[in-house]
Amino acid sequence: MNNPFVGQWAYRSLLNDPNLNTAVNDLEFGQGVIDIHEDAMQILSGTIGGDGWSLKLQGSREYGSPMRVRFQGVGVVGGEQWIYDYEGYLVAHWPNGVQQIPALVGSVIRTIPHASSNGGISPAGVVASFYAVKL
């Protein structure tokens, strides 16, 4: 069986805000590219990154319905450690889907705090939803 997770994925994450008046642009948590490498049967490895940041991914994958991935991204960005944890699911193929692109959907948590781009602190424990589509 081919590993359906291998390859590059366009990644976006959004804060979980139930207020429908919040503009979509104000929900952005992160974006970048996930690059998943071929590895042993249940292993997930690769990278995730964007402008000015990159994290090494290590984790696992499970076949089933739905197929599942769980991984941690670790790296040094701007001189400090970043750690994020991810859990995601491969969206099932729709028999009547038109030009369906493989997609992962899931959740991400900032595991440890780090400096934010506005000079403050991005706290640990913030949870966001993510989706990634295969490039």
Side-chain angles (χ1 to χ4, degrees):
M1 176 179 225
N2 290 336
N3 182 342
F5 300 109
V6 169
Q8 290 192 318
W9 302 78
Y11 166 88
R12 292 176 179 92
S13 56
L14 302 170
L15 294 169
N16 295 331
D17 180 350
N19 182 352
L20 293 175
N21 293 317
T22 304
V24 173
N25 287 346
D26 294 337
L27 297 174
E28 183 177 306
F29 187 69
Q31 66 177 336
V33 173
I34 296 175
D35 189 3
I36 297 176
H37 305 153
E38 186 65 59
D39 213 322
M41 181 61 134
Q42 295 176 330
I43 303 297
L44 184 138
S45 63
T47 59
I48 184 172
D51 289 338
W53 66 280
S54 180
L55 306 177
K56 181 180 177 184
L57 301 179
Q58 284 192 292
S60 62
R61 58 189 167 100
E62 297 174 6
Y63 290 103
S65 184
M67 293 185 185
R68 175 178 176 254
V69 290
R70 187 173 183 117
F71 51 91
Q72 185 172 74
V74 177
V76 175
V77 179
E80 66 180 324
Q81 180 112 29
W82 282 22
I83 301 177
Y84 286 79
D85 284 279
Y86 305 80
E87 182 166 9
Y89 301 90
L90 189 63
V91 173
H93 176 76
W94 287 98
N96 298 319
V98 177
Q99 299 178 345
Q100 182 178 354
I101 298 172
L104 294 171
V105 296
S107 184
V108 56
I109 184 169
R110 185 182 301 119
T111 309
I112 63 171
H114 61 73
S116 67
S117 59
N118 65 8
I121 296 294
S122 295
V126 175
V127 175
S129 295
F130 79 82
Y131 72 98
V133 293
K134 201 147 196 189
L135 294 171

